[in-house]
Amino acid sequence: MPTPTPARLFLDRAPSPIGELLLVSDADARLRAVDFHDYEPRMLRLLGLHYGAVALEAAAAPDATRSALAAYFDGDLAALATIPWTTGGTAFQQAVWRALGDVAHGTTMTYAALAARIGKPAAVRAVGAANGANPLSIVVPCHRLVGANGALTGYGGGVERKAWLLAHEGARARV
């Protein structure tokens, strides 16, 4: 069930070393979605699932968001934690996304380990589905989840970007 749509949502574009980012924020300066320019249809689909029909207005993202993302790409890996965000989603999805924020940069975790961390050890596939529905890629670090054998698995922005993000953070992962 969609969450009430914010009165206004704003779309900005920002450069990154792995492709232009789409940043969706609200009037309260909270980030609502992040995706890569070549995955815009995915981002719009996720926004629709969370809020229903949305109209995005072109406007600059909050300075704090843009600065934190730039700092992250410049090597300040902790900068992502400073970005205020909110999004729709089920209670289960919200639990998964909050738990993703606790996976430290420079590390990876399996889907099973995250399921256990949120107290739902049998919900490995549901954790994977929630991870795939994360509208805040990079900021809510879904790229830090790997397969049971440590290998990289799907990523909404492409496995190549996932590998780049993990290498940027100093994490070891199998391709």
Side-chain angles (χ1 to χ4, degrees):
M1 172 179 267
T3 331
T5 302
R8 299 173 77 189
L9 288 175
F10 307 100
L11 174 63
D12 193 9
R13 297 172 185 273
S16 89
I18 51 176
E20 184 181 56
L21 296 174
L22 304 174
L23 308 173
V24 177
S25 56
D26 63 21
D28 294 322
R30 293 174 301 190
L31 192 62
R32 296 286 184 139
V34 179
D35 218 324
F36 295 96
H37 72 282
D38 49 338
Y39 286 86
E40 187 168 357
R42 173 189 181 277
M43 181 191 74
L44 294 173
R45 181 181 56 77
L46 291 175
L47 285 171
L49 289 173
H50 294 307
Y51 307 117
V54 295
L56 300 176
E57 301 175 40
D63 288 339
T65 298
R66 290 181 67 89
S67 295
L69 283 164
Y72 168 78
F73 286 115
D74 284 344
D76 180 2
L77 304 179
L80 294 179
T82 67
I83 298 173
W85 61 268
T86 190
T87 190
T90 67
F92 181 81
Q93 288 172 325
Q94 294 283 337
V96 169
W97 298 333
R98 281 190 304 276
L100 283 170
D102 294 333
V103 179
H105 54 79
T107 66
T108 59
M109 178 177 281
T110 65
Y111 294 88
L114 190 67
R117 180 179 278 187
I118 65 169
K120 306 278 185 186
V124 176
R125 286 193 174 136
V127 164
N131 198 50
N134 172 15
L136 292 155
S137 99
I138 302 173
V139 175
V140 175
C142 52
H143 59 276
R144 296 180 189 153
L145 290 189
V146 296
N149 64 357
L152 296 185
T153 56
Y155 178 65
V159 174
E160 302 81 18
R161 285 183 175 129
K162 181 175 187 165
W164 189 96
L165 290 164
L166 290 173
H168 175 66
E169 295 180 356
R172 290 187 174 165
R174 294 179 16 170
V175 179

